[in-house]
Structures are given as structure tokens and as C-alpha cells.
Amino acid sequence: MSGPGSAAALRARHGERYRWLLLLSVMVGVMASIISSTIVNVAIPDMSVHFSLGQDRAQWVTSGFMVATTVSMLTTPWLLSRYGYRTTYVAAMVLLLLGGVGGGLSGYFGLVMAARVAEGLAAGIVQPIPAVIILHAFRPHEQGRASGMFGMGVVLAPAIGPSVGGLLVDWFGWRSIFFMVVPFCLASIWLAYKYVPVNAPGGIQADRQGASLDWRGLMLGTVGTLCLLNGLVALHNGSTSEWMGLLGAAVLAVVLFIGWQRHQIAQGRAPLMDLRLFRYRQFSMGCMVAFIYGTALFGSTYLLPVFMQLGLQMSASLVGTTLLPAGIVLALTIPLVGRLADRQPTHLLVMTGLALLACSFALMLLVGLQSALWLLVAFSVLGRIGLGFILPSLNLGAMRPLDKPLISQGSSTIGFVRMLGGATGVSLCGIVLEWRLGAHGDSLSAAASSTARVAAFGETFVMLAGLCVLALVAAWQLREAPAPAAARSR
């Protein structure tokens, strides 16, 4: 495709720098989606008081976003193929903008949840797009550098976001944080009309008359995700029949989903998730790492601010300030590791990151009510260095072996698996935290913190450390297969 607004026309207009301008454009939108994901965490305690929410309902402010993001990621390949990069991207940004404004103006918790779902749907659509662009638009020796530069920009948003968000909560209340996405959304839409092409991945023309969306597969994926998360909650708070029924329904939905996707492929139709991806060993292992990594990452993103506010009795603004150095270190680490990913085996980089992340979680056991603030800063920085090793390396290690036509599906699928792990992680942290609080004879509703409450949080962090150790086993399988002896002898 070479018409106005196509990738070829934009490349001819802007020259060699065009691919970097394109990456910058989508980076702003992903920054907006990540801000909407993480910034709300510092406002959960205030929101809980305003709406008189218990811990199980409060965590759905985060979990509802995660579910919507997880499910909508599966639609990105179809949307890109049918409507092209620009239309898909701009529509997602408009939806995110409406969700931010709607959440800030909502007077009822149900409307806040609807706004969070809208934001989650937009975030899920836009987040797989950068990996598709990097693997299509950049040469192999540039892909690590591009991933690193993109990752540095993206993590600056959550690095600065909690600090600014904490101040906004203290000064203007929890509503103000929803409006933080507005300037990013407006900027991303403007950039999209300048630099994002109208064509589909691979430079082909978007096919508005193409195959319809696999609604049955999408429904099964949604039902399975919701049953899984509600089943995890019921596992702790509900009856035996309730959690067994929900988890059983989740397993059944997964089986039906896989069967339906196989049927779609056999009939020559476009599946929601192309199961042929899992014939690639590195991709399969990458998905396993992504699920466990998502569980630990998003679980800790939810848990850490709550621990600092309700466990250590810190104000929202102090929480944001304490987390700021870790975010800055992460932003500096990612581009350095991105350059390494062009020269070093990606599985070693991922394993290094997982080991550092596990250590940072385990060290939280040392934090108590009388601990110095620098300990929290140091442990947070260690964990963010670990993330800096994982973020640019995991997608490249898992997706480089894929054939070009499978890249969009691969980006969507690994994103889906990571977010499914994230949604599970938020619920799992809530469940384990309540279980350990009960075991220590404490609860988050108590007026003051206690040593027992801090211990319960510490034991929940240890659970996350254990998950990271499990992910190390799968990360080892990301290594490239050795060349056959005949090929080496040539």
C-alpha cells in the first residue's frame, strides 16, 4: 500500500527517522494506558472510605481494569487487520479519554467501575501495537535498542505518576487522578494523525470487508477470565460449592476456547488466538514466563502502595515520593538492557531480572514499623532493576522466532497471557493478604497498624518471590536451540 497516509508515504516524507517518530507516537498512547492502570492504586484507600468499600470490592477497581485489558488484547490483531494502525489506535485513545473523564466525574461506584472497564478495554487494544511495530519496522540489530528506548519512555509514566498522583489525592481528592490521562490522550491523537500509518501490519491495506471478529471465542475468553478471578476470591471468602463451581467453569471455558480456536483454524477462518504460535518452543516458554511475571508484577504494583499506606501508615504523597527513585532507576536501566538484548542471549537477561525481582520481594520481610525509609527505597530500586532486565528482553526472546504473519497474533497473545497473570496476581495478593491477616488476628479495617499486619504483608511478598523463582525455570527454555551439527560444520 502506497497511498496518502501509508507507511511508505510517511517514510518517504520523514526519511530514516520516521520509524522512531512512529515509535514515539504510540509510546505516548501506551504511557497514557499505563498511567490509567497504575495511578489509581494510590487512591484505593481514599476511594474505599468514600464509597464504604471492603477489601474484596476495592480490589475490583484494579481487577476490573485488568480483566477488560486482558480480554480486549485478543482483539488487536483483528482490529489492525480490518481498520489499520491509525483508526485502531485513535479509537482506543478516544475510549481511554472518555473513561478518564467519566471516572473523575462519577458519583457512584458503579459508574467508576464502568469508567475503569472502558479504560481497560482501550489499554488492552493499544498495548500490543508497539511490539508489532518494532518487529516490522526495525531491523533485527535495532530491535533491542528500540525496545529499550520505548520501555524507558513507558516506565517514566508510572515512575512519575504515583508521585504526582499521591500529591493530587492529598490536595484535591481521589477524583483528580482520573484526569491525569487527558493530556496524554490528546497528545497521542494529534501525533497519530501525523505519524501513525493507515495501513495494516506488513504494509498491506486494511480490509474493511474482511473476516468478522470471532465473537464466540471472545465470549469464551471473557467468561473464563471472569470465572477464574471470581473463583479465586470465592476460594477464600466463599463456600466450597461456589469456588469449585467458578473454577470448574473457568477450566471448561478454557477447554471450549481451545477447541473452538482449533475448529476455526481447521475451517480456514481467522481465529481469535492462533494456536500455531505454540509450536514455537521459545514462544511457549515466553508465555509461561509472561504469566508468572505478570502475576508478580501487577500483584506487587497493587500490594506495595497498600502496604505502605495501611501497613506502615504512610501518606499517599509520601508513598509516591518513596517510589519515585525506583521508577527513575527503571527508566535508566531499560535502554541499557535494550542495547544488551541486541548482543546478549535474551534468556540470560530475563533470568537475571527474575532473580533480582525475587530478591526484592523476599527482602520486604525485613521491613517493619520502625524501619528506615531508605530500606524501602533500596528494595524498590532492586526490584525495578530486575524489571529493567525483563521488559525489553522477554518479548524479543519469545517473538523473534515467529514468522512475520504471526507477529501481530504473537504480540496480542503474549500480552493476553501476561495480563491474565496480572489480573490473577491482583486477586491472589488480596486473597493471600486476607488469609495471613486472619492468621495473625488482624484486619485492614483496624484503626492502627501493628506488627502482625506488617508480618502478613511480608508473607504475601514472599509468595510473590516464590512465583519469580518458578519463572526462572521457564526462562531458561527461552534460549535459542543449538544449530544442527551438519549446519555447524559448513
Side-chain angles (χ1 to χ4, degrees):
M1 180 180 176
S2 57
S6 68
L10 292 170
R11 191 179 301 110
R13 183 184 310 163
H14 299 288
E16 279 297 306
R17 64 185 182 133
Y18 168 66
R19 60 188 183 277
W20 296 102
L21 294 171
L22 172 59
L23 191 62
L24 169 67
S25 301
V26 296
M27 182 174 74
V28 174
V30 175
M31 285 171 68
S33 72
I34 292 175
I35 284 177
S36 66
S37 170
T38 59
I39 195 65
V40 173
N41 292 331
V42 298
I44 285 178
D46 281 28
M47 203 180 299
S48 300
V49 172
H50 181 85
F51 291 110
S52 301
L53 305 176
Q55 179 71 12
D56 54 342
R57 291 187 69 201
Q59 76 179 38
W60 272 101
V61 175
T62 301
S63 296
F65 182 98
M66 293 285 188
V67 172
T69 303
T70 302
V71 173
S72 64
M73 275 186 175
L74 293 175
T75 67
T76 301
W78 179 82
L79 289 169
L80 291 177
S81 175
R82 191 176 181 92
Y83 299 106
Y85 282 116
R86 184 184 295 174
T87 300
T88 301
Y89 181 75
V90 170
M93 288 298 98
V94 170
L95 183 59
L96 185 63
L97 176 65
L98 294 175
V101 173
L105 297 176
S106 298
Y108 301 95
F109 182 65
L111 294 178
V112 173
M113 282 303 305
R116 291 293 287 161
V117 168
E119 288 183 318
L121 291 173
I125 292 169
V126 78
Q127 287 185 17
I129 293 177
V132 178
I133 289 174
I134 287 171
L135 289 171
H136 274 293
F138 289 85
R139 291 181 284 272
H141 69 276
E142 297 177 321
Q143 289 170 358
R145 180 185 170 202
S147 295
M149 295 300 294
F150 173 79
M152 180 184 69
V154 167
V155 301
L156 280 174
I160 298 172
S163 302
V164 177
L167 293 174
L168 288 175
V169 170
D170 284 347
W171 292 346
F172 304 109
W174 62 267
R175 294 180 185 279
S176 59
I177 61 167
F178 279 92
F179 295 105
M180 279 194 67
V181 301
V182 171
F184 288 91
C185 290
L186 294 176
S188 68
I189 293 170
W190 177 75
L191 287 168
Y193 280 102
K194 286 180 66 69
Y195 302 119
V196 177
V198 297
N199 54 260
I204 62 175
Q205 185 171 0
D207 185 6
R208 296 292 180 94
Q209 307 302 318
S212 60
L213 180 64
D214 180 9
W215 288 104
R216 188 177 300 182
L218 186 62
M219 181 189 69
L220 288 170
T222 304
V223 169
T225 302
L226 285 171
C227 288
L228 172 64
L229 296 181
N230 282 289
L232 289 172
V233 174
L235 185 63
H236 183 55
N237 294 326
S239 63
T240 302
S241 59
E242 183 182 2
W243 68 260
M244 288 186 67
L246 286 168
L247 293 181
V251 172
L252 178 61
V254 170
V255 172
L256 292 175
F257 178 82
I258 293 173
W260 177 249
Q261 298 310 293
R262 292 171 64 90
H263 174 75
Q264 291 286 89
I265 295 171
Q267 295 296 315
R269 302 181 190 137
L272 194 66
M273 180 187 293
D274 197 326
L275 300 179
R276 289 171 293 190
L277 290 165
F278 296 99
R279 295 176 183 172
Y280 297 83
R281 176 181 60 84
Q282 287 169 260
F283 183 82
S284 297
M285 293 299 104
C287 283
M288 291 181 63
V289 175
F291 181 85
I292 300 174
Y293 160 69
T295 301
L297 171 63
F298 288 99
S300 65
T301 301
Y302 163 77
L303 188 65
L304 190 55
V306 176
F307 167 55
M308 294 168 74
Q309 287 180 270
L310 301 183
L312 302 180
Q313 299 293 294
M314 297 168 62
S315 67
S317 56
L318 182 56
V319 169
T321 304
T322 303
L323 295 176
L324 180 59
I328 294 173
V329 169
L330 174 58
L332 296 174
T333 302
I334 284 180
L336 297 176
V337 176
R339 290 179 178 273
L340 286 176
D342 286 328
R343 303 189 300 271
Q344 301 297 326
T346 52
H347 73 281
L348 293 180
L349 299 176
V350 173
M351 291 178 71
T352 300
L354 287 169
L356 292 174
L357 195 58
C359 287
S360 73
F361 291 146
L363 288 170
M364 283 295 175
L365 275 175
L366 302 178
V367 176
L369 291 171
Q370 306 303 320
S371 297
L373 193 60
W374 70 265
L375 271 181
L376 268 175
V377 174
F379 298 161
S380 299
V381 166
L382 181 64
R384 289 318 186 245
I385 292 174
L387 288 181
F389 273 82
I390 299 169
L391 287 172
S393 312
L394 180 56
N395 274 9
L396 289 179
M399 291 175 55
R400 269 177 175 164
L402 299 181
D403 294 330
K404 288 285 186 181
L406 289 174
I407 286 175
S408 292
Q409 278 278 353
S411 179
S412 169
T413 299
I414 201 167
F416 167 79
V417 171
R418 184 183 66 250
M419 291 304 298
L420 184 61
T424 303
V426 173
S427 294
L428 188 61
C429 282
I431 293 165
V432 173
L433 178 59
E434 288 197 8
W435 166 44
R436 298 316 303 158
L437 284 168
H440 286 284
D442 199 353
S443 72
L444 294 180
S445 60
S449 185
S450 66
T451 304
R453 183 186 301 183
V454 172
F457 274 103
E459 290 162 6
T460 309
F461 279 114
V462 169
M463 178 270 296
L464 294 176
L467 290 176
C468 291
V469 172
L470 284 177
L472 280 168
V473 179
W476 173 248
Q477 298 299 319
L478 280 171
R479 67 191 189 281
E480 294 182 9
R488 292 196 301 266
S489 63
R490 291 195 189 107

